Amino acid sequence: MNPQDGVLWSRNFSLSCLANFFYFGSFYLLLPILPQYVDTLGGTAAQVGLVTGLYTMAAVVVRPYFGQLADRSGRKKIMLTGAGCFTLLFMLYGLVEAIYPLYILRVVHGLAHAAFLAAAAAYIADLAPSARRGEAMGVYGTANVLAMALFPAWGTAVISRTGDFNYLFGLSAAVAGLAFLCILPVRELAAAPAGSRPGAGFLTVGKRREVLLPALALFGGATTYGAIIAFLPLFAPQRGITDIGIFFTAFAASTVVSRIFTGKLSDRIGRQPVILPCMALIVLAVCILAQLSSREMLIITALLYGFGFGAFMPTLNALVVDYTPPRDRGAALGFFTAFMDLGITAGSVILGFVGELFGYTAMFYSSAVVAIASIAVFIAGMRKAGVVNHE
């Protein structure tokens, strides 16, 4: 038995993965019914986008700060604060009677989201054995994907059967509460050895090539993700395909497989030999999607995209950790993961204008161009920095 197996599959790691599953489960319970809820409040289609965008942008702005705070105050404390607030805020949705108070609630909820994610990413990075970091990141991320595969359908079914939004808000709070309870027994890990100098600020850390370049690559991949999530439900029916759910099922299954196997592969052969082919798969899948003509084509796209994106983010994440000292990991990962939200926002909002003016085919091709440009910058920048590979 590998002596690191016990470290990777420790109680702390297992509970963290379970917390991640329940945390994102509560998030995905609410996500698919938000447009319906906004509609009941008299909101417009534009306000549906704003409700989503405010949440994301709030998380983007403060996530690096919470990462830095986790470096100074401890990972577990910030994880508990984020998960606790995230749980309680679900109970306030039922009290909202107009669209503008919902804006405020979504901003505050985004702040709690940022706190949990930034601290949890740093906690897993500290916990993972260095020789199995890619595998650990992949397994941890799989919990999120499993939640995405299961909970949206549950949330939709609840509303279809009961029509009771308050019941769903309570259910989301209960699931988020399970995430909080999973965190309680985990052991706090010191972000830096006692007596060491304080970590650098997140802006200082973000200027380092080994953090900034992976963040830009993540932005490119996340832009394609934002475009798909926001506009596939509108694009596919135009091509005569109404069963959109099959895409997300195939995407989730492929992502799980990818994260389990490619994380371990990146530990053996290095990060970039995994990152680059996965980015190529992302670009290929988006280009195929732009020419969508059948259900079978949609499934193939989902499998290719899920495998590429499933390995892409955790391997980039592991690359950032490889070159970041423990005292700066919270700040570095807070900065890095914020680019996921920025990319999703760019794909769903900015490229939305491209789709409106030139059509969805042009929009998907444009997202592929953004992804190609980001990976070109990543390759050139890493070579210039002398970071050709990591083993």
Side-chain angles (χ1 to χ4, degrees), residues 47-61 99-111 345 349:
Q47 288 174 320
V48 170
L50 193 54
V51 164
T52 302
L54 286 172
Y55 179 94
T56 303
M57 290 309 298
V60 166
V61 171
I99 193 69
Y100 292 103
L102 181 61
Y103 290 159
I104 298 172
L105 179 56
R106 291 295 286 171
V107 168
V108 179
H109 219 169
L111 300 181
T345 302
V349 178

Side-chain angles (χ1 to χ4, degrees), residues 189-265:
L189 303 176
S196 63
R197 68 173 178 83
F202 66 85
L203 290 178
T204 301
V205 171
K207 292 177 182 178
R208 298 173 185 168
R209 288 179 183 270
E210 296 82 0
V211 177
L212 179 59
L213 291 171
L216 292 175
L218 178 62
F219 173 83
T223 298
T224 67
Y225 183 77
I228 289 173
I229 293 299
F231 300 110
L232 180 61
L234 302 175
F235 176 61
Q238 290 182 358
R239 299 301 179 98
I241 303 166
T242 57
D243 184 13
I244 309 300
I246 192 65
F247 176 90
F248 295 101
T249 300
F251 170 82
S254 184
T255 300
V256 168
V257 172
S258 174
R259 290 195 170 177
I260 290 174
F261 292 105
T262 56
K264 186 180 296 186
L265 182 64

Side-chain angles (χ1 to χ4, degrees), residues 3-378:
Q4 292 186 336
D5 287 344
V7 178
L8 180 58
W9 294 107
S10 64
R11 185 188 70 167
N12 292 327
F13 181 77
S14 299
L15 285 172
S16 297
C17 289
L18 196 58
N20 196 38
F21 174 75
F22 286 126
Y23 179 88
F24 275 99
S26 67
F27 173 82
Y28 286 121
L29 269 172
L30 183 60
L31 186 64
I33 63 91
L34 263 179
Q36 298 177 51
Y37 182 58
V38 173
D39 185 63
T40 65
L41 297 177
T44 64
Q47 288 174 320
V48 170
L50 193 54
V51 164
T52 302
L54 286 172
Y55 179 94
T56 303
M57 290 309 298
V60 166
V61 171
V62 300
R63 194 184 294 188
Y65 167 75
F66 280 119
Q68 184 177 346
L69 190 62
D71 287 333
R72 297 175 178 175
S73 303
R75 320 304 197 198
K76 180 179 176 180
K77 183 185 299 184
I78 304 303
M79 288 167 66
L80 284 172
T81 300
C85 292
F86 197 75
T87 300
L88 295 175
L89 287 167
F90 276 115
M91 305 303 296
L92 299 182
Y93 280 81
L95 303 178
V96 172
E97 297 180 349
I99 193 69
Y100 292 103
L102 181 61
Y103 290 159
I104 298 172
L105 179 56
R106 291 295 286 171
V107 168
V108 179
H109 219 169
L111 300 181
H113 183 67
F116 175 83
L117 291 188
Y123 186 86
I124 291 297
D126 289 343
L127 193 64
S130 59
R132 302 182 66 187
R133 186 169 288 140
E135 181 184 0
M137 297 292 186
V139 171
Y140 179 73
T142 298
N144 179 352
V145 179
L146 289 173
M148 182 178 68
L150 298 174
F151 284 89
W154 188 12
T156 302
V158 167
I159 293 301
S160 296
R161 288 197 308 267
T162 69
D164 189 343
F165 287 100
N166 286 333
Y167 175 73
L168 186 64
F169 299 145
L171 186 61
S172 297
V175 174
L178 292 175
F180 181 87
L181 292 176
C182 287
I183 299 166
L184 280 175
V186 304
R187 180 173 59 88
E188 178 65 279
L189 303 176
S196 63
R197 68 173 178 83
F202 66 85
L203 290 178
T204 301
V205 171
K207 292 177 182 178
R208 298 173 185 168
R209 288 179 183 270
E210 296 82 0
V211 177
L212 179 59
L213 291 171
L216 292 175
L218 178 62
F219 173 83
T223 298
T224 67
Y225 183 77
I228 289 173
I229 293 299
F231 300 110
L232 180 61
L234 302 175
F235 176 61
Q238 290 182 358
R239 299 301 179 98
I241 303 166
T242 57
D243 184 13
I244 309 300
I246 192 65
F247 176 90
F248 295 101
T249 300
F251 170 82
S254 184
T255 300
V256 168
V257 172
S258 174
R259 290 195 170 177
I260 290 174
F261 292 105
T262 56
K264 186 180 296 186
L265 182 64
S266 79
D267 290 331
R268 287 207 329 263
I269 69 173
R271 312 301 183 202
Q272 293 190 56
V274 172
I275 291 168
L276 302 184
C278 287
M279 193 61 172
L281 278 180
I282 290 172
V283 172
L284 175 62
V286 173
C287 290
I288 294 174
L289 185 62
Q291 298 297 323
L292 184 65
S293 61
S294 68
R295 185 173 183 269
E296 292 73 22
M297 203 171 175
L298 184 66
I299 294 172
I300 291 171
T301 300
L303 293 173
L304 291 174
Y305 191 81
F307 195 90
F309 199 83
F312 178 67
M313 181 179 179
T315 308
L316 282 171
N317 196 335
L319 179 63
V320 171
V321 176
D322 288 340
Y323 292 98
T324 303
R327 64 176 173 269
D328 295 336
R329 280 178 183 165
L333 292 175
F335 182 90
F336 167 76
T337 54
F339 277 72
M340 178 71 177
D341 292 329
L342 284 173
I344 292 174
T345 302
S348 59
V349 178
I350 298 175
L351 288 185
F353 291 106
V354 175
E356 185 175 342
L357 292 173
F358 304 105
Y360 293 125
T361 296
M363 182 202 68
F364 285 124
Y365 279 132
S366 297
S367 72
V369 170
V370 173
I372 292 170
S374 72
I375 203 63
V377 171
F378 172 79

